[in-house]
Amino acid sequence: MHSGLGGTHTPDPGLHAQLLALEARASILEGASTLHWLAEELRAPALAAFRGGVWREAAQALEALHPDPAAVLRDLGVPFQAGLTRVSDALRLHHADPA
């Protein structure tokens, strides 16, 4: 009987993306530093198909949990106008892959 992964398996990019989204949500109160970290992690080519979903989760967490999400957007240089765009939409659009 063999237990554990044994280090021979290729990492699952879908699982990796889910873990990144979870960690971003858990640390969203750190604001811009969390989102800078997330952007760096999501540069991995294997995560390309999952970037939109991870950014969606992070953006929703920022909007729902951070005491001043608009300030975080300003710190990141994300264009945002209160009343015209939701914080979560502004962040997702800023990090959307170009079509």
Side-chain angles (χ1 to χ4, degrees):
M1 181 170 165
H2 180 68
S3 64
L5 296 176
T8 60
H9 298 280
T10 303
D12 180 331
L15 178 59
H16 187 192
Q18 289 176 338
L19 292 172
L20 289 174
L22 181 63
E23 190 166 350
R25 184 172 188 80
S27 60
I28 201 65
L29 292 178
E30 295 175 22
S33 63
T34 292
L35 298 174
H36 281 299
W37 163 82
L38 185 60
E40 196 62 36
E41 291 294 317
L42 287 172
R43 289 181 187 202
L47 297 174
F50 304 98
R51 286 185 191 122
V54 174
W55 279 117
R56 182 178 57 249
E57 292 295 321
Q60 289 172 347
L62 177 66
E63 188 172 70
L65 303 173
H66 197 278
D68 193 358
V72 174
L73 293 185
R74 284 191 301 274
D75 289 348
L76 294 170
V78 175
F80 171 71
Q81 292 182 344
L84 295 178
T85 309
R86 291 179 54 181
V87 167
S88 59
D89 291 337
L91 184 62
R92 284 185 314 104
L93 290 172
H94 182 73
H95 286 287
D97 287 329

